[in-house]
Amino acid sequence: MRVAHPTHPDPGGAGAGAEAWLYCAAMKHIGVLTSGGDAPGMNAAIRAVVRTAIARGARVSAIYRGYQGLLEDDARELGARSVANIIQRGGTILRTARSKRFETPEARAEAAEILRRRGIDALVVIGGDGSFRGAHRMHEEHGFDVIGVPATIDNDIAGTDVSIGFNTAMNVALEAVDRLRDTAASHDRLFLVEVMGRNAGHIALNVGVAGGAEAILIPERESDVADVADALVAAQERGKTSSIVVVAEGAVPGGALALQRTINERSGYEVRTVILGHTQRGGTPSTRDRVLASRLGFMAVDALLAGRTGEMVGVDKRGTVSVPLEQVWNTEKPIDEQLLELAAVLAI
Ligand code: ADP
């Protein structure tokens, strides 16, 4: 929220320099929350938000359990030391939640009142596009300055090439695929590995290529379970003795287990299905995720202190970027077509 000041009526106007910027920082009290699904690296982002805010002279409060905690006034002001020793930890120290009630205008008016009572005038929301919609509403309806920080293992957020947690989740899934391949090769077996991703195939595609999968099934491309089963049987007949198939959750109705049943019906091959599930969500964040989260947390605070709002910070080929929040849910995040094409060639 931009606050008018009698001696500095226009902090962003002509002639505004470091002094005006410091003025902005002194006026700000930033609330930080994590919302939606947890992702490794969220703690590194929280740490960066807290320390950048304090280094710039702003105040910062933790809001626990996302919008649900906000509605219950579950918040506390933080100091720089309160985020010590968390950069290496998975999950989120702020905890996270989903709140159906927050989707109503009445609940958001209550939330605005709670924030005002605490003197909080800006929010950094670390989460996915659902969380950003909530933040955007707080901006539109109640004038809070909001910046979104993309964090989800699924990497399904448009406007940034990668989101916090994606790299770690891929590494976890890839390690599982590598281990399963040892057994697949030793026993001449076909393994179906189901990975997370909700309606997106980014984890499956990357892990499939990196793990040398014989087939990769993703929701962005329609797959006929019977055709896939026949292709796998044909590959075995061509001399492949073991195979790994990476299946994104949501790629085929019934998931990897349905594919296993179809293969069993159409051939005598021994098939095993492994559903990695939530093992991909937790664990120590990778170097990449920690650096990304630190960078984006820092940028989010800098954006707020520069008077920007209603944006998401992210990264693409140009480096760090920020995009309007509406663009995030109005744009489809494309799958990497080149990677898809090469995956098919390399699986012959
Ligand atoms: P993600 O942020 O990972 O996409 P969700 O879609 O579950 O996760 O959204 C997290 C929370 O954000 C929801 O529980 C709800 O409180 C809030 N939210 C989601 N969509 C909206 C919306 N359209 N308006 C207001 N709040 C929303």
Side-chain angles (χ1 to χ4, degrees):
M1 207 178 289
R2 203 183 277 261
V3 183
H5 191 286
T7 55
H8 292 88
D10 179 17
E19 208 182 306
W21 179 83
L22 277 174
Y23 151 83
C24 263
M27 302 302 290
K28 281 276 178 226
H29 184 170
I30 298 169
V32 57
L33 60 86
T34 49
S35 170
D38 67 308
M42 277 182 159
N43 283 328
I46 295 163
R47 173 178 176 270
V49 168
V50 171
R51 294 210 168 153
T52 308
I54 291 169
R56 302 291 202 228
R59 293 171 67 194
V60 61
S61 284
I63 297 164
Y64 297 92
R65 296 181 296 116
Y67 295 124
Q68 186 178 323
L70 170 55
L71 288 170
E72 292 165 19
D73 196 18
D74 189 1
R76 177 167 77 88
E77 188 160 353
L78 297 179
R81 296 278 72 73
S82 54
V83 287
N85 260 320
I86 65 166
I87 196 166
Q88 77 284 10
R89 283 166 57 188
T92 159
I93 60 155
L94 301 184
R95 304 175 57 212
T96 181
R98 292 194 165 90
S99 167
K100 202 75 199 142
R101 197 158 85 80
F102 188 76
E103 292 177 30
T104 66
E106 296 76 26
R108 290 193 295 274
E110 277 174 45
E113 191 42 45
I114 289 167
L115 291 171
R116 282 197 197 100
R117 263 204 313 269
R118 287 187 169 271
I120 296 172
D121 51 14
L123 288 176
V124 172
V125 173
I126 304 168
D129 65 348
S131 306
F132 298 161
R133 281 175 206 253
H136 190 246
R137 294 244 154 100
M138 290 302 283
H139 169 60
E140 300 256 287
E141 295 166 6
H142 302 287
F144 288 89
D145 286 347
V146 297
I147 296 286
V149 174
T152 163
I153 65 164
D154 304 332
N155 202 32
D156 57 354
I157 302 177
T160 183
D161 282 356
V162 283
S163 55
I164 296 166
F166 176 50
N167 183 259
T168 306
M170 283 194 300
N171 290 343
V172 170
L174 181 61
E175 194 185 328
V177 166
D178 288 346
R179 285 167 191 263
L180 291 169
R181 190 174 279 287
D182 289 347
T183 302
S186 305
H187 286 271
D188 291 355
R189 230 174 238 172
L190 171 57
F191 269 97
L192 306 179
V193 187
E194 187 177 294
V195 301
M196 275 189 157
R198 278 194 297 191
N199 300 317
H202 304 285
I203 295 180
L205 179 55
N206 284 274
V207 168
V209 169
E214 275 62 47
I216 303 167
L217 275 62
I218 57 172
E220 290 86 347
R221 289 286 174 283
E222 212 172 300
S223 312
D224 184 282
V225 174
D227 288 350
V228 175
D230 289 345
L232 290 169
V233 172
Q236 301 254 334
E237 277 156 9
R238 279 203 312 276
K240 283 205 177 195
T241 51
S242 68
S243 300
I244 298 275
V245 176
V246 176
V247 184
E249 66 174 334
V252 287
L257 284 169
L259 179 59
Q260 175 177 349
R261 275 193 298 276
T262 310
I263 296 171
N264 283 338
E265 279 161 18
R266 297 171 94 86
S267 76
Y269 290 115
E270 197 169 357
V271 185
R272 291 279 188 278
T273 296
V274 177
I275 298 173
L276 297 184
H278 285 81
T279 57
Q280 295 155 95
R281 280 258 285 266
T284 306
S286 66
T287 313
R288 254 176 200 274
D289 273 329
R290 294 186 207 190
V291 172
L292 175 69
S294 300
R295 212 190 273 282
L296 296 184
F298 168 87
M299 269 182 78
V301 172
D302 252 8
L304 283 174
L305 298 185
R308 299 213 317 271
T309 179
E311 296 177 1
M312 180 194 79
V313 291
V315 287
D316 69 11
K317 281 145 206 81
R318 295 165 291 173
T320 47
V321 291
S322 44
V323 296
L325 283 175
E326 289 130 305
Q327 198 177 306
V328 175
W329 54 85
N330 288 328
T331 317
E332 193 84 1
K333 176 139 184 169
I335 198 83
D336 187 336
E337 295 284 343
Q338 225 177 16
L339 204 52
L340 201 55
E341 200 180 318
L342 85 84
V345 172
L346 299 187
I348 55 163

